[in-house]
Amino acid sequence: MLETQRLSLRDGGLLQTFTFGSGQGGKLTIKARDSVELLNTPIGALAPTGIFANSIFGTGAGGDIDVTTQQLTIAGGSQIGNQTGAFLGEAGVIPLGGPAGDITLNVKGTTTIVGTSADGRFGSGPGTASYSGSPAGNFMLTTGNLFIREGANISATTFSDGNGGTLSVSVADVLDLSGSSTRTSVGLPITLPSGLFSSSGRADFPGVVGSGAAGTLQVSAREL
């Protein structure tokens, strides 16, 4: 558990737990009284700036991620992610891993998710994913306001035969989606809008086929 007034990860900074075997991955619990900021994945980085709890190669379940704060900002290709298996860009997929953990974000004020990394390889935003035969985790966000801009997204996706997780977003006031961006996740430019995605496969991962069932998308807001 990490307790602090403000948490800032930037320029390739990572906070993460992994399991590579049969043991369960550790849980990441973050309580930041004022704010959490995840900013700027550098050009050419192997992994995005952010917070991760993944299961790769083995059968152990990935740990959960719980974040509680007043303000949350994710920008410049930064991410919060739980996944089973792994995507290595043009090198392909590692199709091995246990069940992915869940992500729960409790943001009392405003959540702002913006843009991509400068080289377009990483989109900004939190999410869960399956690249193996195990299921993806569920994603839950409770916030006062939610702004997703310049092609950023929140996602629960399966890229394999494991099922996708449920994506649940509850916004007390305004949910605003605007803009788009060009991604180059596998070297090909793909333009995507800002959004909330619960899917089997995804347009910015051409050639990575998802055969598992997509999860449920649940959204509530006072104003959309």
Side-chain angles (χ1 to χ4, degrees):
M1 176 184 289
L2 172 62
E3 294 190 62
T4 184
Q5 183 174 348
R6 293 183 296 272
L7 173 63
S8 180
L9 293 174
R10 61 181 65 212
D11 303 326
L14 295 168
L15 184 61
Q16 57 191 0
T17 67
F18 286 87
T19 175
F20 297 100
S22 59
Q24 183 167 340
K27 182 176 181 178
L28 273 173
T29 301
I30 298 167
K31 296 182 179 180
R33 187 180 67 191
D34 290 349
S35 63
V36 172
E37 291 183 330
L38 310 178
L39 306 172
N40 185 31
T41 294
I43 292 174
L46 296 178
T49 299
I51 301 169
F52 303 95
N54 300 333
S55 175
I56 304 174
F57 292 116
T59 58
D64 296 335
I65 297 175
D66 290 343
V67 178
T68 301
T69 191
Q70 181 67 33
Q71 306 288 337
L72 174 62
T73 303
I74 305 174
S78 300
Q79 299 178 6
I80 300 175
N82 269 3
Q83 64 188 45
T84 168
F87 176 67
L88 303 178
E90 296 181 24
V93 169
I94 298 174
L96 303 171
D102 297 332
I103 297 176
T104 303
L105 308 180
N106 295 299
V107 184
K108 299 175 183 177
T110 297
T111 299
T112 304
I113 307 171
V114 183
T116 67
S117 59
D119 56 10
R121 293 174 57 239
F122 299 101
S124 301
T128 64
S130 173
Y131 297 97
S132 76
S134 299
N138 298 319
F139 176 89
M140 291 147 284
L141 169 64
T142 302
T143 187
N145 297 288
L146 175 58
F147 299 97
I148 304 179
R149 295 171 172 164
E150 298 175 21
N153 68 74
I154 298 175
S155 65
T157 310
T158 175
F159 298 95
S160 68
D161 52 356
N163 289 337
T166 294
L167 193 159
S168 177
V169 174
S170 178
V171 182
D173 197 5
V174 176
L175 168 54
D176 184 296
L177 307 176
S178 62
S180 63
S181 66
T182 300
R183 308 279 183 85
T184 56
S185 301
V186 292
L188 300 172
I190 303 291
T191 299
L192 284 182
S194 304
L196 303 168
F197 302 135
S198 180
S199 65
S200 182
R202 219 167 71 189
D204 53 333
F205 290 80
V208 184
V209 178
S211 56
T216 302
L217 174 62
Q218 302 170 341
V219 180
S220 65
R222 185 187 67 82
E223 180 181 335
L224 174 61

